[in-house]
Amino acid sequence: MARPRKPLLSRERIVATASALVDAEGLQAVSTRRLAAELGVSGPSLYNHFRTKDEILEAVADAVSARVDLSMFEEGDGRDWRTALHDWAVSYRAALTEHPNVVPVLARGPGRRPAALRVADVVFGAMVRAGWPPAQATHIGALMRYFVTGSALTSFAGGFVADATAYDPADYPHLGQAHLLARRQRQVDEGAFSTGLRALLDGLSLQYEQEARTPPRSGGTGKTGEVEDAGKSR
């Protein structure tokens, strides 16, 4: 009987295998030798699809960006800018928390990754359409990335040990319950994210009202990446 044919090597298979390795063992687990072994191919065959290991990791990160819901920014969706930002941030964080080990790559910014650039383009365009000045729309995109990736990069609650003796009341009179945080990690971290997101959007809403009362100025292209008046506070 003829042996069953091995699946053809493709970018998709390489990215899927690399993503599984990153999820299970972290970024350091990915090497061309390890991937080749997992895929059952020779190492050099990977270079027909990716030139370097870093390119593979960039593709893994971009696959996560591609999972982020952007439907709330479509012109016919109907959600206002604040609701759209809220729903997008929730989807964005959910995608990142499913793949926390790749967040350090995502935190570096979009680089040349197509899906990540698409996210930046769509968010910026939606904010400008909503009436934000281009420079402020740029700031909002940056702010949201800082907030969401930071919340997914590590766990506040998980940083406290579960040993009650670590929190001597003589030294830490207000940390008597800190040893319970780790077992409530999800509840605490999601609560912190919700609280922070609400505060962030409340602040932006105040700025938006101020912008609406400010007479428009000439200039500004409305193009992605606009940085006019980037150093001025509002």
Side-chain angles (χ1 to χ4, degrees):
M1 294 179 62
R3 292 183 179 179
R5 297 177 60 185
K6 292 181 180 179
L8 292 176
L9 189 61
S10 64
R11 287 180 64 91
E12 290 73 19
R13 280 193 68 211
I14 295 170
V15 171
T17 302
S19 180
L21 279 176
V22 171
D23 286 346
E25 302 178 34
L27 294 168
Q28 72 283 350
V30 178
S31 68
T32 53
R33 178 178 296 181
R34 177 74 181 278
L35 280 174
E38 294 285 338
L39 290 161
V41 300
S42 63
S45 64
L46 297 178
Y47 297 115
N48 293 324
H49 302 276
F50 294 97
R51 292 176 297 178
T52 65
K53 182 187 80 170
D54 285 342
E55 281 193 1
I56 296 172
L57 292 177
E58 289 287 310
V60 169
D62 212 37
V64 174
S65 294
R67 297 187 180 98
V68 179
D69 183 15
L70 297 175
S71 64
M72 64 288 296
F73 296 120
E74 295 175 359
E75 294 192 46
D77 180 80
R79 278 172 274 192
D80 61 27
W81 68 267
R82 176 180 172 134
T83 304
L85 276 182
H86 174 277
D87 294 350
W88 169 62
V90 170
S91 174
Y92 189 4
R93 182 175 183 269
L96 268 57
T97 54
E98 287 179 4
H99 306 278
N101 290 337
V102 82
V103 173
V105 180
L106 288 161
R108 296 200 292 258
R112 295 179 180 272
R113 300 193 299 272
L117 288 170
R118 170 67 176 162
V119 171
D121 180 73
V122 168
V123 174
F124 178 86
M127 294 303 99
V128 172
R129 284 198 312 274
W132 284 99
Q136 287 295 86
T138 299
H139 298 164
I140 291 170
L143 171 63
M144 297 301 290
R145 183 169 69 83
Y146 297 153
F147 177 68
V148 176
T149 57
S151 72
L153 191 60
T154 187
S155 166
F156 173 82
F160 290 84
V161 299
D163 181 3
T165 64
Y167 309 101
D168 189 328
D171 296 321
Y172 315 109
H174 306 296
L175 297 182
Q177 301 295 306
H179 64 286
L180 302 175
L181 288 173
R183 74 177 67 169
R184 300 172 183 170
Q185 180 173 327
R186 182 172 179 177
Q187 177 185 354
V188 172
D189 291 346
E190 289 186 354
F193 176 77
S194 296
T195 299
L197 181 58
R198 184 169 59 250
L200 186 157
L201 293 173
D202 284 347
L204 286 177
S205 294
L206 290 175
Q207 289 189 38
Y208 189 75
E209 293 173 4
Q210 292 172 3
E211 291 288 349
R213 294 193 297 266
T214 302
R217 294 171 298 170
S218 61
T221 64
K223 295 180 180 179
T224 303
E226 173 66 59
V227 293
E228 179 188 355
D229 293 338
K232 296 182 180 180
S233 60
R234 297 280 177 177

